[in-house]
Amino acid sequence: MLFRSAFAGVGGRTLVRDESGAITDEGSAVGLSLTGMDFGLLLAKDRQDASRSWTSLQATVADARLIGIDGLTASGSNLAVNVNRAGNSGYSVVDYLGMLKAIDDGAGHEYLLNMDGTRGELLEVSGELELDVFGFFQLQGGFAIQKSTATVTVADNPLTDVDEGGEVTVDALTIGASAVDAFAGLHGGTDQALGLQLTGGQFALALLREQVEVDARSWTALQAEAGQVAFVGVDGLTVSADSLTVQINQTASDGSLVDFAAMQAAGTGFEVQVGPQVGLTLEMDAAEGAVLKAAGHLELDVFGLLQVAGDFALHKKTGQITLAGETTPLDVDLLTLGASGVDAFVGVNGGADNALGLQVLDLEFGLALISERTGALRSWTSLQGSAGFAGLVGVNGLSLSASDLAVAVNREAADDSVVDYQAQPLEIATGPNSSLTLDMAGADGQLLQVSGTLSIDVFGFFQAQGGFALEKKSTEITLADDPDTPDVNESDTPVAVGLLTIGATGLDAFAGLNGGTDHAMGVALDRKSTRLNSSHSQQSRMPSSA
């Protein structure tokens, strides 16, 4: 059945066709307007068994919009609706692909039903949406909502003795959107716009429920991306993130996960419709466990006072680690934060030739916060990072900087255990396409390590340059035997200590007048190396949180 137009509301409508054939409404109507609506409805009942019935509907609408309210726009275009249902649960739906049923409206028009019966009971709506709420909130893009039957691959939960894996038939509710641009704030759509702006957004949400009568499992998965999210409209203030990606894959009550990566590799990927004729295939790998991922590129400029730009990634997932002195991996929850290619500045006049403050260039780091999933519920913290440059800039004659910086931190749990990353390295995402691997040796115990090249020039009066390293760790030392205690040989028993070492190499230094010039006068130290060790017994050491 084909309708040129339809209207539901109040007030009259005056449709005017211009010379190009376009139709506009010049009336004072307020309500819902539909144009170009085409649909076919089929109601069927089994002649032999009256309890069996089927309902099918397919419809398209070229344009649907709310009219008559100045400043408020709510419209949809290229809308499509598909419904395929059986009258009673347990009965199959009609497979129109096998018969291509045409419905005649009696006026010479036919509508072809073509829904795929293998998708089970189906409820599907898709189209293009545009919304403008008085310039305060604006949204446009494709969308799709589906309720259907699907088969998914479920991965086994390694923490149980039960095999939860295999092919599982589920009821699937999916919601998707594509090519989404959105704005929330003031004066949207004008040069004076002030607020939060999203461009190039896309997401696919899947809510899955097992088709069983008792103890049905449920899974949730989300995959999203955005070209850019930014705060706009304030001169001198930049807060934006681009190339954003988000992935969420949550377990059912029994700890099982849907393995979307395995389905994709087998050629049966789980595709979510995110707009008219647009799909997005979920990619999450069950081998990563329950996961929440976010990554992108961040840019921040607060009136030249604080500037940060670089890639970042945040992951929350389940995994395994190996502790020092042990061989059996431990099941843990992992929260990791990473960044790479980061340039930062704190001070005044950031980005200008007369910038004054602290600058960091080419920063990369990976931070891991780890919690034991069962047992004593111990926790560990680890960090590795590097920076190409960190220093004070903008003061003529005063230089204080460090280059080729490297930092390593491996904090122990309350029972003095530490993670051995040499036995089982941990890869941490530091951006959308970059990562860093923690590789600290558990044999070093609790560790704090900083190294790099230091450069100091205090107005030519004092100058120093060279490599340095500072390390604080737990280790063992051997004592010399004390001749005053003949009954005890102290060298037989190693002593656990906290060891602090400070070292420098290739050190050049000067103190005096006119440093760095042909007229230098003072005391100079050239290419010297030195090392200072300090240790204390673990029995009297400071707490691990110190």
Side-chain angles (χ1 to χ4, degrees):
M1 186 173 292
L2 177 65
F3 291 93
R4 286 289 182 186
S5 63
F7 172 79
V10 296
R13 300 187 66 201
T14 303
L15 301 181
V16 178
R17 186 188 301 271
D18 61 20
E19 294 180 355
S20 67
I23 298 176
T24 59
D25 187 353
E26 298 183 357
S28 58
V30 177
L32 180 64
S33 172
L34 303 176
T35 58
M37 185 170 66
D38 193 3
F39 78 91
L41 172 65
L42 183 146
L43 305 174
K45 181 173 289 188
D46 191 332
R47 290 184 176 181
Q48 306 298 323
D49 184 353
S51 65
R52 301 179 66 191
S53 61
W54 298 268
T55 301
S56 302
L57 169 69
Q58 283 190 252
T60 59
V61 178
D63 184 85
R65 62 182 58 242
L66 181 67
I67 61 174
I69 302 177
D70 291 339
L72 176 61
T73 299
S75 66
S77 58
N78 300 321
L79 296 171
V81 178
N82 296 315
V83 179
N84 197 10
R85 298 180 60 86
N88 295 303
S89 61
Y91 290 134
S92 299
V93 297
V94 180
D95 185 3
Y96 291 99
L97 281 185
M99 56 185 253
L100 297 178
K101 178 65 176 178
I103 298 177
D104 191 341
D105 69 352
H109 301 109
E110 286 189 341
Y111 195 89
L112 189 66
L113 301 185
N114 57 5
M115 292 174 287
D116 185 357
T118 63
R119 298 176 64 189
E121 290 209 346
L122 176 67
L123 172 60
E124 182 177 74
V125 181
S126 65
E128 302 285 344
L129 179 67
E130 182 178 354
L131 181 66
D132 188 339
V133 184
F134 307 106
F136 175 73
F137 179 72
Q138 297 173 322
L139 173 72
Q140 64 179 19
F143 77 95
I145 302 173
Q146 286 185 354
K147 183 180 182 298
S148 62
T149 299
T151 300
V152 297
T153 299
V154 174
D156 179 41
N157 179 7
L159 300 181
T160 68
D161 296 329
V162 180
D163 185 4
E164 297 90 355
E167 301 298 310
V168 177
T169 302
V170 297
D171 290 322
L173 174 62
T174 65
I175 303 173
S178 60
V180 174
D181 295 336
F183 173 83
L186 302 176
H187 312 303
T190 72
D191 294 336
Q192 291 80 38
L194 172 65
L196 186 65
Q197 181 172 279
L198 165 73
T199 57
Q202 178 175 256
F203 78 87
L205 171 66
L207 307 174
L208 311 175
R209 188 177 189 277
E210 189 175 14
Q211 284 189 348
V212 295
E213 295 294 332
V214 180
D215 297 329
R217 297 173 292 177
S218 298
W219 300 272
T220 301
L222 171 70
Q223 192 167 306
E225 57 191 48
Q228 185 182 57
V229 178
F231 186 80
V232 298
V234 179
D235 291 339
L237 176 62
T238 299
V239 183
S240 70
D242 57 63
S243 303
L244 286 168
T245 61
V246 176
Q247 288 187 348
I248 299 174
N249 196 14
Q250 296 297 300
T251 63
S253 58
D254 63 350
S256 61
L257 278 167
V258 178
D259 195 340
F260 296 102
M263 295 173 64
Q264 190 174 20
T268 58
F270 191 92
E271 185 178 77
V272 175
Q273 188 177 355
V274 295
Q277 309 302 316
V278 181
L280 177 63
T281 300
L282 301 186
E283 303 172 344
M284 285 80 78
D285 189 347
E288 292 190 274
V291 68
L292 186 155
K293 296 182 180 182
H297 179 82
L298 177 68
E299 185 172 345
L300 175 67
D301 188 340
V302 184
F303 308 106
L305 177 66
L306 171 64
Q307 296 175 321
V308 180
D311 292 340
F312 74 93
L314 175 69
H315 285 193
K316 181 181 182 296
K317 62 182 181 179
T318 56
Q320 291 185 323
I321 60 171
T322 298
L323 300 180
E326 299 184 9
T327 58
T328 303
L330 189 67
D331 295 308
V332 295
D333 289 318
L334 288 162
L335 177 62
T336 67
L337 174 63
S340 61
V342 176
D343 295 338
F345 173 83
V346 179
V348 295
N349 304 321
D353 293 337
N354 59 340
L356 172 64
L358 179 64
Q359 185 174 49
V360 178
L361 301 177
D362 197 20
L363 173 66
E364 179 183 39
F365 72 85
L367 170 67
L369 306 176
I370 306 171
S371 297
E372 191 174 14
R373 300 197 73 192
T374 59
L377 302 180
R378 297 168 292 179
S379 61
W380 302 267
T381 301
S382 302
L383 168 72
Q384 279 186 244
S386 63
F389 173 87
L392 181 68
V393 297
V395 180
N396 292 330
L398 176 61
S399 173
L400 177 59
S401 66
S403 58
D404 301 322
L405 285 165
V407 177
V409 179
N410 198 9
R411 301 295 299 274
E412 62 189 18
D415 65 347
D416 298 339
S417 62
V418 295
V419 182
D420 188 354
Y421 293 104
Q422 280 196 346
Q424 189 171 357
L426 176 63
E427 185 177 20
I428 295 179
T430 58
N433 301 297
S434 58
S435 63
L436 177 152
T437 299
L438 300 189
D439 57 5
M440 294 170 288
D444 288 336
Q446 178 161 269
L447 176 68
L448 170 61
Q449 188 178 70
V450 182
S451 65
T453 299
L454 183 67
S455 179
I456 302 174
D457 188 341
V458 183
F459 304 105
F461 174 75
F462 176 74
Q463 298 173 324
Q465 182 172 341
F468 76 94
L470 182 149
E471 183 176 82
K472 180 179 182 291
K473 65 180 181 179
S474 300
T475 188
E476 291 183 343
I477 61 174
T478 300
L479 302 179
D481 184 31
D482 185 353
D484 294 331
T485 57
D487 296 333
V488 179
N489 187 347
E490 286 82 3
S491 64
D492 288 341
T493 305
V495 178
V497 298
L499 180 66
L500 175 64
T501 65
I502 302 174
T505 184
L507 181 63
D508 295 336
F510 172 83
L513 300 177
N514 304 319
T517 72
D518 294 337
H519 310 291
M521 180 174 64
V523 179
L525 175 69
D526 296 328
R527 297 296 170 183
K528 298 297 182 181
S529 298
T530 185
R531 182 179 179 90
L532 172 65
N533 294 340
S534 176
S535 62
H536 55 81
S537 171
Q538 294 279 51
Q539 294 180 350
S540 60
R541 65 182 175 87
M542 296 176 68
S544 62
S545 60

